[in-house]
């Protein structure tokens, strides 16, 4: 078991005191549980992959595209002409 020295500012000291008063935990146990909670939170965050984010944002086949990529230049010209009224 290792011993550590940490520095807490006044606000953090007040938070630690409030946690100890509400739970009756020792300083060591309160900090230990805080580390475990942070570790669990980080594990949850890493469970989300870029693919998961894409799946939530994916508008489906075709998405918002006005034309396929291979004809994009022509489609842009058409949209701009229509917008300009030419």
């Amino acid at each position: 078991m290792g011993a550590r020295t940490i520095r807490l500012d006044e606000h953090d000291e007040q938070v630690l005191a409030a946690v100890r008063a509400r739970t009756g935990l020792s300083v060591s146990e309160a900090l230990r549980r805080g580390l475990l909670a942070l570790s669990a939170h980080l594990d949850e965050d890493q469970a989300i992959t870029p693919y998961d984010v894409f799946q939530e944002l994916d508008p489906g086949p075709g998405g918002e595209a006005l034309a396929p990529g291979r004809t994009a230049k022509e489609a842009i010209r058409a949209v701009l002409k229509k917008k300009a009224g030419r």
Side-chain angles (χ1 to χ4, degrees), residues 17-63:
V19 167
R20 291 188 64 219
R22 292 174 66 187
T23 63
L25 296 173
S26 67
V27 171
S28 294
E29 184 62 22
L31 294 176
R32 188 176 299 112
R33 288 189 185 189
L35 285 173
L36 291 173
L38 176 59
S39 178
H41 178 73
L42 293 173
D43 289 342
E44 289 173 8
D45 283 350
Q46 289 187 358
I48 298 172
T49 65
Y51 181 77
D52 296 331
V53 174
F54 172 75
Q55 285 298 96
E56 289 182 26
L57 299 176
D58 183 22

Side-chain angles (χ1 to χ4, degrees), residues 54-82:
F54 172 75
Q55 285 298 96
E56 289 182 26
L57 299 176
D58 183 22
E64 303 293 326
L66 300 175
R70 66 182 172 276
T71 60
K73 288 183 181 180
E74 292 83 13
I76 291 171
R77 283 189 203 103
V79 169
L80 292 175
K81 282 182 182 179
K82 184 177 178 182

